[in-house]
Amino acid sequence: MSLTEQTILITGAAGGLGATAALALARQGATIILLDRNVPRLEDVYDRIVDSGAPEPAIYPFDLAGANEDQYNELAQVIGDKYGALQGLLHSAAELGTQGPTATQPTASWGHTLNVNLNAAFLLTRVLLPVLQKSVQASIVFTSDTSVSNARAYAGAYGVAKIALEGFARILAEELESAQRIRINTLLPGPVNSPMRNRIYPGEDKSQLPDMNSLDAVYVYLFGPESIGITGQTIDAQTFQR
């Protein structure tokens, strides 16, 4: 399935799932904007995409939690000026924060975790909506987490943010559904051998988990023409079938 002539921005592109998505989508012909604050890891993902023969991506160093509103607006302006339109936005950045009882949650960690996982997704989506609306069809995908989205104890601000993010995705999908130009869905990657999973379950036998590239097909589906008309849905990668 070709994604040629599509430009897709991925947050957390230096992380495990973000990099996996970037490579999967780039191999289908998409031009990827790699956004993260970790420049050395971004450069590694950039090299892997170029070495694969895919279109040359762009690197955009950006601190989702530390950036102010003007910097978010500047990001949208740069993308609009360079690409004209955006066909995809994948929210893959995540911050685990402090896992533990609510009574012992540090205030600073709580706020920072909400900023990365929830507030940044709102700000980035809002400033990029005009650029996405210039496309005939565009896709926004939020990444949630099965292990916490059912209000698991001790999930902390990370769990709260993921629950809220799923609600935000449904609200946004209803707001934009009538225009039939931008589809919004939430992806549940499920248990895969990712760095985040390793941090949440450090004692787990990882040899029994699927590799991260098992998600390639669902990423391509969510940003490809097969998912046009599918909006407001939560897609579980572990049960995904075309």
Side-chain angles (χ1 to χ4, degrees):
M1 183 184 300
S2 175
L3 299 179
T4 305
E5 300 183 3
Q6 290 207 30
T7 301
I8 300 170
L9 186 149
I10 299 176
T11 72
L17 295 186
T20 297
L23 284 158
L25 298 170
R27 290 187 185 114
Q28 298 299 320
T31 298
I32 307 298
I33 303 172
L34 303 165
L35 187 144
D36 203 294
R37 66 179 181 177
N38 192 319
V39 175
R41 288 186 183 178
L42 281 181
E43 291 174 342
D44 177 67
V45 178
Y46 174 96
D47 290 342
R48 290 165 65 191
I49 290 174
V50 171
D51 290 346
S52 75
E56 182 179 7
I59 289 178
Y60 202 113
F62 198 80
D63 184 352
L64 289 167
N68 59 38
E69 193 165 350
D70 288 341
Q71 290 170 312
Y72 273 89
N73 285 320
E74 180 184 356
L75 165 63
Q77 184 68 49
V78 168
I79 291 172
D81 289 346
K82 182 171 182 178
Y83 298 101
L86 194 63
Q87 288 75 45
L89 170 59
L90 172 61
H91 293 284
S92 193
E95 177 67 45
L96 184 58
T98 302
Q99 301 277 283
T102 300
T104 61
Q105 288 288 323
T107 303
S109 174
W110 182 274
H112 176 76
T113 305
L114 286 179
N115 277 337
V116 174
N117 294 299
L118 180 60
N119 297 333
F122 155 71
L123 272 170
L124 190 59
T125 300
R126 190 187 68 185
V127 300
L128 288 177
L129 275 177
V131 191
L132 289 155
Q133 287 166 337
K134 292 180 180 179
S135 298
V136 176
Q137 286 289 330
S139 175
I140 300 174
V141 177
F142 296 91
T143 306
S144 191
D145 188 327
T146 314
S147 69
V148 299
S149 59
N150 293 323
R152 174 178 60 81
Y154 311 121
Y158 176 73
V160 170
K162 292 302 184 182
I163 293 167
L165 197 65
E166 291 186 31
F168 175 47
R170 289 194 295 270
I171 289 169
L172 187 61
E174 286 204 19
E175 290 178 357
L176 301 178
E177 188 172 17
S178 61
Q180 297 184 348
R181 294 173 70 93
I182 303 177
R183 58 197 185 275
I184 296 95
N185 295 291
T186 300
L187 173 64
L188 296 175
V192 294
N193 191 5
S194 68
M196 181 66 76
R197 178 85 183 182
N198 294 343
R199 290 184 62 192
I200 297 175
Y201 300 104
E204 186 178 41
D205 181 4
K206 304 304 185 297
S207 67
Q208 303 302 311
L209 295 177
D211 193 76
M212 287 186 291
N213 61 22
S214 65
L215 302 173
D216 287 4
V218 72
Y219 282 125
V220 173
Y221 167 78
L222 286 168
F223 289 98
E226 280 188 296
S227 64
I228 291 175
I230 305 298
T231 191
Q233 302 299 307
T234 298
I235 309 297
D236 188 335
Q238 302 304 309
T239 59
F240 167 73
Q241 292 182 338
R242 279 201 178 97

